[in-house]
């Protein structure tokens, strides 16, 4: 039985608690032995940022002596559990912090010199107040030794799935993710804002036609001329429409879509980089490598090793489901043609 202790204070961010709790609970449906213990400084229920209160099991002082996973959720403002937090960290096999919970851990000095991340809204504050940290610009979550830090909110689910994967393997975590009907492949290196989030906001029918065309077949002919025909506008007008709707050019959108498709194949298959580059439309491993370095500051090989279980980045979430017979892979609201 693995004991997971959540350290709660008033104004705790409810998704930072509820998301990971649900992951550990559903893992129990498949036989995983997790026991959750919620603690607060006084043992009293705590307020949340979401119009409700949370009951707790006991006080911080009475937390279990042996802790498998310590979870420090975010809140407004961040509230370290006083002098007890370093002691709890010392008793835990691993410690996860979400959102402003990362600031709480940083305040007590346990993260100095480590690679971390937090919610984008608090990144500047973390960098300013704790220059000894190596803050990742935009990752969903980051693993460094026994510490896993994440963006919080929905990223708490991704982080918890990664911990379940670490404990029970990729297929087990995939079963949990499928039961929860969540995205099965959001590795820690995934940006907090991706091309999918941008595409979901499109309202123009012309831009939507182009977005759908590229998403369905990243490896297709997606020159400005070909896309302009699809949108029934001139190339110049297409560029203006993309800048207005998405803040990027059609060429950049195509590149980012191919990058996302490549990330999925790198994480969910053993295909060579040459094969991945060809299937998503980069054409050559060198073109793909340059894109990875430009957009993610890592090579495809480093991305694959960091985001898979056992890699230096601590592994990613469970793998995406295999393509269907038609060769499609569903990513959120988009359906990619990336048969393997």
């Amino acid at each position: 039985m693995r004991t997971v202790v959540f350290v709660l204070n008033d104004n705790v961010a409810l998704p930072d608690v509820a998301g990971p709790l649900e992951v550990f609970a559903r893992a129990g449906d498949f036989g995983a032995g997790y026991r959750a213990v919620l603690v607060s400084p006084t043992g009293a229920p705590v307020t949340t940022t979401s119009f409700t209160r949370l009951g707790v099991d006991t006080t911080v002082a009475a937390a279990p002596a042996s802790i498998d996973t310590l979870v420090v959720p975010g809140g407004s403002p961040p509230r370290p559990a006083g002098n007890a937090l370093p002691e709890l960290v010392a008793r835990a096999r691993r410690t996860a912090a979400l959102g402003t919970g990362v600031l709480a851990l940083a305040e007590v000095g346990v993260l100095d010199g480590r690679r971390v991340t937090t919610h984008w809204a608090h990144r500047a504050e973390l960098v300013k107040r704790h220059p000894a940290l190596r803050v990742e610009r935009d990752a969903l979550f980051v693993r460094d030794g026994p510490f896993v830090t994440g963006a919080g909110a929905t990223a708490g689910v991704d982080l918890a799935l990664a911990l379940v994967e670490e404990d029970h393997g990729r297929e087990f975590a995939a079963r949990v993710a499928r039961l929860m009907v969540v995205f099965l492949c959001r590795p820690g290196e995934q940006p907090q804002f991706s091309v999918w989030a941008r595409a979901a906001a499109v309202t123009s029918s012309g831009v939507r036609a182009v977005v759908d065309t590229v998403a369905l077949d990243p490896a297709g002919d997606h020159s400005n001329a070909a896309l302009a025909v699809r949108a029934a506008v001139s190339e110049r007008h297409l560029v203006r429409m993309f800048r207005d709707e998405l803040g990027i050019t059609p060429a950049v959108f195509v590149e980012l879509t191919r990058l996302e498709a490549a990330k999925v194949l790198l994480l969910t298959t053993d295909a060579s980089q040459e094969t991945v580059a060809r299937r998503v439309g980069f054409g050559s491993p060198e073109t793909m490598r340059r894109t990875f370095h430009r957009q993610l500051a890592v090579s495809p090989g480093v991305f694959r090793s960091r985001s898979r279980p056992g890699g230096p980045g601590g592994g990613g979430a469970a793998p995406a489901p295999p393509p269907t017979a038609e060769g499609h892979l569903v990513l959120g609201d988009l359906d990619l043609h990336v048969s393997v």
Side-chain angles (χ1 to χ4, degrees):
M1 182 66 67
R2 301 174 187 269
T3 300
V4 183
V5 174
F6 288 75
V7 183
L8 310 186
N9 286 279
D10 279 332
N11 290 326
V12 67
L14 186 59
D16 289 5
V17 182
L21 271 178
E22 185 69 11
V23 170
F24 292 125
R26 298 291 65 79
D29 294 343
F30 297 112
Y34 291 105
R35 176 175 74 105
V37 179
L38 277 59
V39 303
S40 71
T42 65
V46 297
T47 58
T48 74
T49 56
S50 302
F51 310 112
T52 189
R53 296 171 67 84
L54 285 178
V56 302
D57 299 300
T58 187
T59 65
V60 169
S66 178
I67 302 172
D68 179 78
T69 304
L70 181 69
V71 180
V72 184
S76 180
R79 298 168 183 262
N83 295 328
L85 196 52
E87 182 184 344
L88 292 175
V89 169
R91 301 207 310 256
R93 178 174 70 91
R94 62 190 178 193
T95 298
L98 296 162
T100 58
V102 181
L103 277 77
L105 275 185
E107 288 292 339
V108 297
V110 298
L111 295 177
D112 286 355
R114 294 192 179 275
R115 182 170 165 258
V116 301
T117 194
T118 188
H119 191 281
W120 62 267
H122 307 291
R123 185 172 58 242
E125 180 183 4
L126 183 64
V127 171
K128 179 179 179 181
R129 291 172 59 177
H130 302 285
L133 303 183
R134 291 179 290 149
V135 182
E136 290 292 319
R137 181 175 62 87
D138 200 26
L140 285 177
F141 60 89
V142 167
R143 181 70 182 264
D144 189 335
F147 294 95
V148 191
T149 54
T154 60
V157 171
D158 300 289
L159 186 153
L161 282 169
L163 297 181
V164 170
E165 179 184 338
E166 178 183 296
D167 296 338
H168 299 284
R170 297 188 62 153
E171 178 54 33
F172 187 97
R175 293 170 67 194
V176 175
R178 284 194 291 268
L179 183 63
M180 293 180 63
V181 197
V182 297
F183 189 45
L184 298 183
C185 186
R186 290 219 303 179
E189 303 290 343
Q190 173 102 352
Q192 294 173 28
F193 288 100
S194 71
V195 66
W196 314 125
R198 294 185 182 188
V202 168
T203 59
S204 165
S205 59
V207 175
R208 170 55 61 190
V210 170
V211 164
D212 291 345
T213 296
V214 176
L216 283 169
D217 183 16
D221 175 11
H222 300 315
S223 63
N224 277 2
L227 295 179
V229 170
R230 180 70 178 177
V233 296
S234 69
E235 291 183 45
R236 179 175 297 181
H237 187 54
L238 178 69
V239 172
R240 285 198 297 267
M241 291 168 64
F242 259 76
R243 289 192 182 280
D244 290 342
E245 287 269 4
L246 298 174
I248 55 178
T249 65
V252 171
F253 178 80
V254 171
E255 178 179 84
L256 293 178
T257 299
R258 288 171 174 166
L259 176 66
E260 293 295 328
K263 286 160 63 177
V264 170
L265 291 182
L266 287 169
L267 293 177
T268 61
T269 78
D270 293 320
S272 68
Q273 291 186 31
E274 181 177 1
T275 298
V276 170
R278 184 180 68 254
R279 286 177 175 165
V280 303
F282 282 126
S284 70
E286 178 59 26
T287 300
M288 184 170 73
R289 187 191 66 79
R290 288 198 300 267
T291 302
F292 267 75
H293 273 290
R294 183 167 57 253
Q295 298 293 343
L296 302 177
V298 296
S299 69
V302 170
F303 172 82
R304 176 179 256 172
S305 64
R306 275 187 181 180
S307 302
R308 279 187 162 184
T324 68
E326 290 76 26
H328 291 155
L329 181 64
V330 177
L331 296 181
D333 294 329
L334 296 180
D335 190 12
L336 299 184
H337 187 82
V338 286
S339 59
V340 294

